[in-house]
Structures are given as structure tokens and as C-alpha cells.
Amino acid sequence: MNRLAAYSQAQPAHTWTRIEMLLAAFDGAIARLEQARELLERGEQFKAQPLLLRSQRIVLELYSGLDLNHGSIPENMQNLYVYVLSCIGMGPELDLPSALGVLRNIHGGLESVRDRANEMERSGELAPVNEHTQLLKNIVA
């Protein structure tokens, strides 16, 4: 068997659950915004720009994953994501502390239900991750 065939048959070392992907996305956005804030404080706007853009992309992917057919929580999340996007460069001025505060609060809420969400996915109460939800994995790197 050639190397390409062996690689394509390899199973991933880590199986992602929905909550783990969400937490990783939030971790990625928060880390980049913290780095961007430090660079901006030193007056290095040019170096901060790619970090801000990557953060925007992560938040946009989170936004695009919302299913508004599930009541007020996704609608509220939609509003929070729009606010964060306005704070990190899609609004009139940057407000990274506010964006970080919102993202950290959401992250904390997700972290508090992590074990239960993983249990629900393993038991089949929540549908497992499929190829469409795998997209979040790719935006965090």
C-alpha cells in the first residue's frame, strides 16, 4: 500500500464532539484577540491586523453555525456574535476588551456544560458531529 492510501485510511487520533469544537473555536478567537490587543498597545497595528481578521472569521463561522429554529438562545447568540464582530473591526472602532469579555462569558457557560454535552453526544441524545460541523476544526488552527 502506498503512503497516500495509508494516510487516507488512518483514523483521527481525537474524535471531536460539538462542545469540544465550540470551546476550541472560542479559545482560538480569545487567544488571537489577546495577542492583537498586546500588539495594538505597542502600536503595532500592521501585525495585529491578521489576528483580528482571523478572529472575525472564527466568530463568523460560529455565527453561521447557529440554527435559529431552536428558539431564543440562538437568536441571543446571534446578537452577541454581531456585537463581538462590531468590536473587533467590523464596527466604527475597536473595543477588544468588550469583545473578549463577551467571548469569555460564553466560553465559561460552555465550559460549565462540557461534561453533560459530551455525555449527551456519546449517548445519542445529541447527534454526533458530521462532516459539515467539522468545518470548525479547520478555522481554529
Side-chain angles (χ1 to χ4, degrees):
M1 175 179 342
N2 68 31
R3 288 183 188 170
L4 181 59
Y7 176 78
S8 65
Q9 291 178 357
Q11 296 297 317
H14 178 70
T15 302
W16 288 81
T17 62
R18 292 174 187 277
I19 193 81
E20 299 299 335
M21 287 191 333
L22 286 169
L23 286 166
F26 279 95
D27 287 339
I30 290 167
R32 284 169 180 82
L33 289 175
E34 288 171 343
Q35 291 173 328
R37 183 177 62 185
E38 290 172 13
L39 289 167
L40 290 169
E41 287 171 357
R42 294 193 310 250
E44 299 182 54
Q45 286 82 1
F46 186 73
K47 289 182 181 178
Q49 196 62 37
L51 295 166
L52 293 170
L53 291 171
R54 189 69 161 161
S55 298
Q56 289 171 2
R57 183 171 176 212
I58 293 169
V59 174
L60 284 168
E61 287 293 332
L62 290 165
Y63 180 96
S64 72
L66 293 172
D67 185 348
L68 299 177
N69 294 318
H70 293 285
S72 63
I73 292 175
E75 291 172 5
N76 293 337
M77 294 302 295
Q78 184 181 47
N79 291 333
L80 289 170
Y81 292 149
V82 168
Y83 175 73
V84 168
L85 287 168
S86 73
C87 290
I88 60 175
M90 298 179 91
E93 61 184 54
L94 289 177
D95 187 355
L96 299 187
S98 291
L100 283 164
V102 169
L103 293 175
R104 285 183 182 129
N105 281 334
I106 297 169
H107 183 280
L110 292 171
E111 187 68 48
S112 72
V113 299
R114 174 188 235 160
D115 292 339
R116 177 69 179 126
N118 281 327
E119 180 183 314
M120 290 174 71
E121 194 164 325
R122 280 191 301 272
S123 71
E125 290 179 67
L126 290 176
V129 174
N130 62 38
E131 63 211 39
H132 302 294
T133 54
Q134 291 288 346
L135 293 175
L136 273 179
K137 266 189 3 185
N138 300 322
I139 63 165
V140 178

